[in-house]
Amino acid sequence: MSERLTVFKTYKLFVGGKFPRSESGRVYEVTDSKGNWLANAPLSSRKDARDAVVAARKAVGGWSGATAYNRGQVLYRVAEMLEGRRDQFAAEVAEAEGLSKAKAAAQVDAAIDRWVWYAGWTDKIGQITGATNPVAGPFFNVSSTEPTGVVAVLAPQESSFLGLVSVIAPAIATGNTVVVVASEKAPLPALSLGEVLATSDVPGGVVNVLSGRTAEIAPSLAAHQDVNAIDLAGADAGLAKELEIAAADNLKRVLRPQAVDWAVTPGTDRMTAFLETRTVWHPTGSLGAGGSSY
Amino acid sequence: MAFEYAPAPESRAVVDIAPSYGLFIDGEFTEASGGKVFKTISPSTEEVLSEVAQGSAEDVDRAVKAARKAFEKWSALPGAERAKYLFRIARIIQERSRELAVLETLDNGKPIKETRDADLPLVAAHFFYYAGWADKLDHAGYGANPRPLGVAGQVIPWNFPLLMLAWKIAPALATGNTVVLKPAETTPLSALFFADICRQAGLPKGVVNIVTGDGTTGAALVAHEGVNKVAFTGSTAVGKAIARTVAGTDKKLTLELGGKGANIVFDDAPIDQAVEGIVNGIFFNQGQVCCAGSRLLVQESIHDELLDSLKRRLSTLRLGDPLDKNTDIGAINSAEQLARITELADSGETEGAERWAPACELPENGFWFRPTLFTGVTQAHRIAREEIFGPVLSVLTFRTPGEAVAKANNSQYGLSAGIWTEKGSRMLAVAGKLRAGVIWANTFNKFDPTSPFGGFKESGFGREGGRHGLEAYLDV
């Protein structure tokens, strides 16, 4: 009896909660570290990027307007779904990065733990970034943070899953929505993450995953007038400079590429980079002899 | 009958302006390398106040090198020692506040009652506030032992010359950075007087350097390789150019840019207080304020009543000599700015809005613009979209809170907004939906060193003031 022939998966983009093929109709060959064919991944076009921004923008209101507790619940649910698919991701990461099974599994475990870590921040980040300000006058004055909006994320090129999770989770934990460009040569874990997000309770459009050539997709995201911020983690120095210049056009918040050890528990900077501080003043009436004052 | 106001001019005798000033580099006043100078005038009279050096790229280089040299010792000082220097500066500012207020009014054209009662107290308060942080940085929420960045290149505008200097220099020094500051071309004098305050305070040489000049001087500073941090307050166009300049470098950047603040008045607002707030929102500092409430959004049902009250109030504003203690509206800062305001206001008429200004006489010399309001403004009008940076108020209407929010947010800017309503839940709901960095509810144009200030969207990024203001000067 012959060995069973496996069923291949057609990897698709994840945009607006749906799984479209690339608008361009193009694909590119994804191989393992030894050059063996793994799959044909969608080669996203600039139109795909624009569609993803539209989906991300549409999702901002609902996601940023959800309570922090609710966002935490949803993100914990994602971690649970990831845990259930642990073996699949370990296999994909092993192939993508040429790692042993054990090392790939460790990457996936770290990524799931990282997701849990950020899930726990949803209802705490505001407490460490906000303040009541003791101004010199009869005013109640409070600063609180809120999401910047739509964040374009160029996922790290080398760490196909742990790196990916480490840049998506902080942006959405704080209420932003994301258009992420997967690692160019190892996009499959990212595309599979889309499937997990679709079956968790993450509203469509909160995370949108594109695969393809980073240098082709990124410029239209960096120049897009409806993108509020960009994380350049996956750009090399030359591209990063070009994108930063494009981003200046509508004063996007830019997180420059930096050397990061993804295995180490991060700080809060990937969250605070995509938060805005709003300060609200209101007079306090003084009761008693002084009378109230406006 | 109404009594006329008697003149109540503040004395100029408290200020001794030298006929010329050099650059303040490494603790010394020095001539510009090219020997070029420019004149600074009083916008209310066009009288030449002094001659100031035009700093070149070479001068900027000298200043940055001086700041770099000073950085080693300054950043190594215990925070408690830096704190005492800032504390000294704060006290000297308080001691010399009358002199500085008069100087600022002469050089900027703003009323003495504003420099005396708003600018100078806030300038001193900023140095006190950040003096207190210098020895407590471990507790600021940026980890243990946060490090300074190095040399800060700071470029500030002409609308609050000394206050913007304080906003930039106080947190920079508290965190252990050294600075090269480029004041605005039209208002360099108070920064040069500040150099003398640094001398009196015994501040080590090179910790603060002041390089006067025009936009080219600022551009050279921003582009200088030895600068680790760029802080800019000014126009959005220049902010974008700076963001492009620092792209691809390690320079940390904060930008405080333009605004087109919406001041929203609901039908349950206390009308008299709202009118005062509207006046303060747009006519404070002749409207030359990035966070000015330049778009008035009035609930339709109270439009006529509010406009009547507002016009009555505007008719009582006194325009004229900024050194007169009873003056409400002073001079526009420069001929160039006056031309811009005039052009934009004229476009309001051309585009079909209705213009109104109270009867008031304008002085013969200097740069003046009547407090002006436009009714019948639509969101498409230039006067509703572009920052005028002058005493011009555009009035729009709305029917529902949702419409008010949508109109308020319909702007490239996101710096400030005002809300006038007696209903707390409505105030909080609307405040939560406005995309702006500072919301004043039932008040307007309040500032405090403890309170973070800065914009969303194209009003820039980063915050100044408060604990948040430290981040811009720390390697975190």
Side-chain angles (χ1 to χ4, degrees), chain B residues 144-272:
Chain B
N145 194 24
R147 306 304 305 157
L149 296 163
V151 176
Q154 308 178 318
V155 179
I156 59 170
W158 44 258
N159 56 344
F160 295 91
L162 199 54
L163 183 58
M164 292 300 104
L165 174 147
W167 281 26
K168 297 279 184 292
I169 290 184
L173 297 194
T175 46
N177 299 272
T178 55
V179 307
V180 178
L181 178 120
K182 206 287 284 182
E185 189 180 1
T186 60
T187 55
L189 292 182
S190 51
L192 295 165
F193 274 57
F194 182 78
D196 190 53
I197 291 170
C198 293
R199 176 189 65 81
Q200 289 187 334
L203 196 70
K205 288 173 192 286
V207 171
V208 168
N209 304 275
I210 310 283
V211 180
T212 49
D214 58 16
T216 61
T217 314
L221 177 58
V222 167
H224 195 286
E225 283 182 352
V227 166
N228 305 98
K229 152 81 192 176
V230 172
F232 172 73
T233 296
S235 76
T236 290
V238 174
K240 289 179 182 181
I242 290 173
R244 289 182 197 108
T245 301
V246 305
T249 70
D250 291 331
K251 289 174 193 173
K252 196 160 178 170
L253 176 65
T254 44
L255 300 170
E256 296 287 357
L257 309 175
K260 192 74 191 172
N263 206 356
I264 305 169
V265 185
F266 287 97
D267 58 8
D268 65 342
I271 293 283
D272 290 346

Side-chain angles (χ1 to χ4, degrees), chain B residues 382-396:
Chain B
R382 284 181 70 200
I383 53 170
R385 308 208 67 79
E386 294 180 33
E387 184 177 43
I388 299 174
F389 223 66
V392 180
L393 180 65
S394 299
V395 184
L396 299 92

